[in-house]
Amino acid sequence: MSFVADLRVVLRGRDFRRLFGTRLVSQFSDGIFQFGVAGFAFFSPEKQTTALEVATGLAVLLLPYSILGPFVGVFIDRWSRRQILVFAPMVRGALLLGAAVLVASGVPDPVFYVAALGVLAVNRFFLAALGASLPHVVPPDRLMAANAVTPTSGTVLTFVGAGLGFVLREVFGGDNAGTALLLTTSGVVFGLSALIARTMERSLLGPSYNPDRPQAREALRNVLVGLVDGVRNLGRHRMAAATMGAMAAHRFLYGMATALGIILYRYYFTDGDPDAALRGISLVVATSGVGYFLAVIITPWAAERFTIERWVTMALTAAGVLTAVLVMPFQTWGLPAAGFVLGIAGQSVKICADTTVQRDVEDTYLGRAFSIYDMLFNGMYVLAAALAAAILPANGKSYLAAAIIAIGYPVAAAVYRMVTSAPEPASR
């Protein structure tokens, strides 16, 4: 119950409540948007979705976070963060309206994907500004509690937004006009976050003036050098690097499971009925969300009871074994249960990775470490979808893909355990 206690503590601050409200509204809108893009890309009645198109859609949704992630901090540390939170929703709303017009006009998919990439690029700046603003609205002794509740609450609202997207799609329809209305709704809701951000004083969220700060061009050039430095530093923190590697392995295998599930529901389970397929995959997303939230509750207890090293190993191993049992029969009842299992296991590993990086890596390297983390988190997912595009048959029923997932998790667990249990090298 620490989540509820932490939330109660940080909500006492007025400025935190305003920043928190800005995040919740924006991530709720993002859930509607992501559902709209997924419905258009994977479950549109006007198209025959292939594994390659699934990989393309996932790349559009995730690559901006990987590619832009290391660079946005340069600007977040130079521009008024409060102004970013006010104007980014307006820009994003305009782009969403443009994307809605494009969808309603029946433009080719690549044109729509370019518009969606623009929306997500703006969103990357917005989320980074939210994260950098947090220390300005909570006292230092409450920062850990705030960090514990804000990402979890935001993700829960994203799931809720996706749920509303499902309901609205049933009302609007699954054709291009219905998708356009979904995107418009997302843009209007996201714009409400700007109204909340406007209630904060302009200088409240920083950044503080620093006359020694390098010019933006020099700072951008230093990003790549800094990333290389960050990798070297991570190499000196075996526990943090190994747990981040476990998280990356999960994301790769989870990405393959996502592509497998989408194609199975699109064709094998539903004979090509896009509406039935969307209802099936929505159930998987819902059970994954329940697993995600349950992991938030049980992981602190499990990590203390078993240690992080053992809990990560247990979570990965259980994910592989249960995925084999639940997915290999290729029955509709198995995938929602597998989604629940992977939701618990994956979020457990992520929480442990967050903790070890924050605990072990020096503060001067922490930003670079999380930039690398961010790139791995999304990049491995997209890489897995690309591999799935190469091996999945047209109807999605692939014992090879299921075996890669089922075997990959225990292998990752064994490698992780071997690395973390090896004796430290003698210091010189």
Side-chain angles (χ1 to χ4, degrees):
M1 302 302 291
S2 61
F3 175 84
V4 176
D6 288 342
L7 182 61
R8 187 181 295 118
V9 167
V10 294
L11 281 177
R12 293 172 186 162
R14 184 189 64 178
D15 292 329
F16 172 81
R17 291 197 300 271
R18 292 174 176 176
L19 189 69
F20 190 53
T22 303
R23 173 184 283 274
L24 294 183
V25 171
S26 68
Q27 294 203 243
F28 176 72
S29 164
D30 202 42
I32 301 173
F33 170 74
Q34 290 184 25
F35 186 89
V37 172
F40 176 82
F42 310 145
F43 304 103
S44 173
E46 288 92 356
K47 64 176 67 174
Q48 295 297 309
T49 303
T50 65
L52 179 60
E53 287 171 330
V54 170
T56 302
L58 293 176
V60 167
L61 286 171
L62 296 173
L63 281 184
Y65 294 88
S66 297
I67 296 171
L68 294 176
F71 298 94
V72 296
V74 172
F75 301 101
I76 297 300
D77 290 341
R78 284 165 174 76
W79 299 344
S80 166
R81 292 170 191 148
R82 184 265 197 178
Q83 294 302 93
I84 291 173
L85 298 183
V86 170
F87 287 106
M90 299 178 188
V91 175
R92 190 178 190 264
L95 289 172
L96 276 168
L97 290 176
V101 171
L102 292 174
V103 171
S105 304
V107 298
D109 288 0
V111 177
F112 168 74
Y113 286 144
V114 169
L117 281 168
V119 171
L120 289 163
V122 174
N123 200 47
R124 189 69 190 92
F125 273 89
F126 186 88
L127 290 175
L130 281 172
S133 300
L134 193 59
H136 293 266
V137 296
V138 294
D141 62 324
R142 293 182 181 174
L143 188 57
M144 183 175 293
N147 270 314
V149 301
T150 51
T152 299
S153 301
T155 302
V156 169
L157 262 291
T158 300
F159 277 110
V160 174
L164 178 62
F166 175 81
V167 173
L168 292 177
R169 190 178 190 271
E170 294 291 306
V171 176
F172 297 152
D175 57 4
N176 286 351
T179 300
L181 286 171
L182 265 183
L183 297 178
T184 302
T185 302
S186 174
V188 171
V189 173
F190 201 92
L192 298 177
S193 66
L195 300 180
I196 302 174
R198 253 186 116 254
T199 63
M200 292 180 280
E201 200 272 321
R202 181 167 180 161
S203 63
L204 173 67
L205 306 178
S208 304
Y209 175 69
N210 181 3
D212 299 323
R213 183 168 51 206
Q215 294 296 314
R217 184 180 301 176
E218 181 185 349
L220 286 172
R221 188 169 55 248
N222 290 339
V223 167
L224 295 176
V225 177
L227 286 176
V228 174
D229 245 2
V231 171
R232 289 182 184 140
N233 182 264
L234 271 173
R236 295 193 287 270
H237 299 282
R238 187 173 60 189
M239 177 68 175
T243 313
M244 191 184 294
M247 179 277 302
H250 158 71
R251 288 294 291 177
F252 179 86
L253 297 166
Y254 190 62
M256 181 161 287
T258 300
L260 175 65
I262 289 171
I263 300 299
L264 280 173
Y265 272 107
R266 187 69 169 87
Y267 298 110
Y268 184 73
F269 292 147
T270 63
D271 294 324
D273 181 344
D275 292 328
L278 185 57
R279 285 191 288 271
I281 205 70
S282 296
L283 178 60
V284 177
V285 171
T287 57
S288 297
V290 173
Y292 172 98
F293 189 73
L294 188 58
V296 173
I297 297 173
I298 66 174
T299 298
W301 170 84
E304 184 177 352
R305 173 70 175 81
F306 301 111
T307 74
I308 284 178
E309 295 93 320
R310 290 192 180 93
W311 180 237
V312 169
T313 304
M314 292 163 64
L316 292 174
T317 303
V321 172
L322 292 175
T323 297
V325 172
L326 296 168
V327 175
M328 286 290 193
F330 290 102
Q331 299 294 318
T332 53
W333 54 263
L335 268 67
F340 176 73
V341 169
L342 293 181
I344 293 178
Q347 187 60 20
S348 294
V349 173
K350 185 182 183 301
I351 292 170
C352 291
D354 290 349
T355 302
T356 55
V357 172
Q358 290 173 341
R359 181 192 66 192
D360 297 349
V361 176
E362 301 93 329
D363 188 60
T364 52
Y365 284 93
L366 205 52
R368 281 166 282 185
F370 273 103
S371 292
I372 297 164
Y373 187 122
D374 194 46
M375 295 171 74
L376 286 172
F377 188 83
N378 295 303
M380 294 299 286
Y381 194 85
V382 174
L383 182 64
L387 176 60
I391 67 173
L392 285 180
N395 69 355
K397 186 179 181 181
S398 171
Y399 287 101
L400 174 60
I404 290 172
I405 298 165
I407 297 170
Y409 273 109
V411 169
V415 172
Y416 172 79
R417 189 62 177 149
M418 182 174 61
V419 172
T420 55
S421 62
E424 292 284 351
S427 57
R428 296 183 179 179

